Amino acid sequence: QKEVEQDPGPLSVPEGAIVSLNCTYSNSAFQYFMWYRQYSRKGPELLMYTYSSGNKEDGRFTAQVDKSSKYISLFIRDSQPSDSATYLCAMSASSTGFQKLVFGTGTRLLVSP
Amino acid sequence: EAGVTQFPSHSVIEKGQTVTLRCDPISGHDNLYWYRRVMGKEIKFLLHFVKESKQDESGMPNNRFLAERTGGTYSTLKVQPAELEDSGVYFCASSQGGGGALNEQFFGPGTRLTVL
């Protein structure tokens, strides 16, 4: 069983839609939860991270972590065509921050004008 | 400021040959990581350097893979001899290090390795 499960998509939405991306995980030792965005032929870039449970908002993006359910989400409001990319969740069990990241497979998002 | 750079961007080799991938981290970053993504699978951790020392190499698949970071600057990942299952995209990431820092990892664009 994979430590982190993520639906690969693709997820197609019209411009302006609210997008919900999710991951589940099995390792209760994970403490840092991250969302990366990856454009084609580029490396992943960090969008947001959350430590332990709770919500975090940054502009159009909201990250949620529910450790009791081992479930994390990323919401994108007012989605734009420029949001079209692969979104990867990643997790770390280190207490000192981002170490040895464990990734989901990524969800490909397509936002059509 | 330059980001993490990787060379080559793409390498095509035959089974049994040797390939060396290079990563130049962001200047001043003590931590350097190698990850790999094989087709259809998730990005997986290979190993972690702190300066020139291997901190964690638990993700290295077998002894055909050798990573070095001489002088604590750039790193190389050598695959010898390459097998078909080694095909994938190899990512390098670096982070600053130091106590109290979150150590966000900045990723390079990856090297796409194709073994025929």
Side-chain angles (χ1 to χ4, degrees):
Chain A
Q1 182 191 5
K2 289 180 185 176
E3 283 190 277
V4 179
E5 297 279 355
Q6 184 176 11
D7 188 332
L11 177 62
S12 294
V13 301
E15 182 176 356
I18 296 174
V19 175
S20 172
L21 304 166
N22 312 292
C23 290
T24 59
Y25 64 94
S26 57
N27 187 349
S28 57
F30 288 140
Q31 299 191 53
Y32 285 91
F33 303 89
M34 296 135 238
W35 286 95
Y36 284 83
R37 179 174 60 195
Q38 185 178 18
Y39 292 111
S40 182
R41 305 292 178 176
K42 302 284 188 182
E45 59 172 334
L46 181 68
L47 264 179
M48 298 180 69
Y49 77 91
T50 309
Y51 174 69
S52 193
S53 282
N55 295 358
K56 191 170 187 178
E57 188 172 321
D58 183 2
R60 297 185 295 112
F61 299 88
T62 299
Q64 289 184 351
V65 174
D66 182 348
K67 290 191 77 176
S68 63
S69 303
K70 295 190 175 66
Y71 187 87
I72 73 169
S73 301
L74 177 71
F75 297 95
I76 307 174
R77 290 182 298 281
D78 188 25
S79 56
Q80 303 295 309
S82 58
D83 294 329
S84 297
T86 296
Y87 289 79
L88 303 142
C89 62
M91 305 178 191
S92 170
S94 170
S95 60
T96 56
F98 301 0
Q99 308 280 359
K100 190 177 179 180
L101 300 180
V102 180
F103 282 89
T105 51
T107 299
R108 189 169 167 224
L109 172 66
L110 303 170
V111 181
S112 53
Chain B
E1 180 183 326
V4 177
T5 57
Q6 293 187 244
F7 182 82
S9 57
H10 192 186
S11 180
V12 181
I13 61 171
E14 297 205 345
K15 176 183 170 182
Q17 289 186 321
T18 297
V19 64
T20 300
L21 314 181
R22 174 172 169 143
C23 169
D24 286 79
I26 293 172
S27 177
H29 279 193
D30 287 340
N31 294 301
L32 188 148
Y33 303 82
W34 284 98
Y35 293 86
R36 176 175 76 168
R37 181 175 192 148
V38 296
M39 181 81 77
K41 301 272 184 94
E42 67 275 18
I43 296 173
K44 281 196 169 179
F45 169 85
L46 295 179
L47 89 160
H48 170 204
F49 283 100
V50 178
K51 297 184 180 177
E52 67 274 10
S53 300
K54 290 176 186 173
Q55 179 79 9
D56 181 351
E57 51 184 328
S58 60
M60 293 290 262
N62 52 61
N63 59 10
R64 294 185 294 103
F65 289 75
L66 175 64
E68 294 180 324
R69 192 182 182 195
T70 309
T73 54
Y74 71 91
S75 175
T76 58
L77 180 64
K78 182 193 287 189
V79 185
Q80 179 182 30
E83 299 288 346
L84 299 178
E85 64 265 24
D86 300 332
S87 296
V89 182
Y90 290 76
F91 291 103
C92 175
S94 72
S95 69
Q96 190 159 15
L102 269 176
N103 293 316
E104 177 187 347
Q105 293 181 29
F106 295 87
F107 282 79
T111 292
R112 185 174 299 272
L113 175 64
T114 302
V115 183
L116 302 176

